[in-house]
Amino acid sequence: MSANETPTALAAFFTDGRLTSIPRKPARRTALLDHLAQSLFEPDRSYSEREVNEALLTVHTDTSMLRRYLIEAQLLTRTRDGSSYRRAGAPAGPDAQPPAA
């Protein structure tokens, strides 16, 4: 499923494949973020911050907000220096940040 093929429950947040609003309800926001993580990022690949931003730009202009939400939801992990990102569940490098408490 691509970011343009949104689940029916999330369709109200997209127009022409672009994210137009972020859900306020935590469950819907988590579902949206999970959809973005699964559709934009491969599980066994490392991404630079630039690559993450480019992927997020395909759905929304505020890449830093979406990147932060994905990290906080533990759907993306990043190294301590922020140089490498991975979709959660993928093998992380030795300097990956542990989940926030």
Side-chain angles (χ1 to χ4, degrees), residues 23-101:
R24 289 181 183 217
K25 291 184 178 182
R28 282 194 179 168
R29 181 181 293 178
T30 298
L32 170 70
L33 294 171
D34 186 56
H35 166 67
L36 293 177
Q38 301 247 358
S39 61
L40 296 174
F41 304 103
E42 297 174 29
D44 296 327
R45 179 168 176 236
S46 291
Y47 294 86
S48 67
E49 184 171 323
R50 180 179 178 187
E51 290 172 312
V52 171
N53 289 343
E54 288 171 356
L56 294 173
L57 271 173
T58 65
V59 294
H60 199 274
T61 57
D62 194 345
T63 59
S64 60
M65 174 192 63
L66 287 176
R67 192 177 62 244
R68 182 176 58 251
Y69 283 161
L70 287 163
I71 296 290
E72 289 173 354
Q74 298 178 10
L75 295 168
L76 282 184
T77 60
R78 69 175 167 210
T79 55
R80 292 190 191 278
D81 65 3
S83 65
S84 180
Y85 293 75
R86 292 184 80 82
R87 193 167 101 190
D95 55 346
Q97 289 183 346

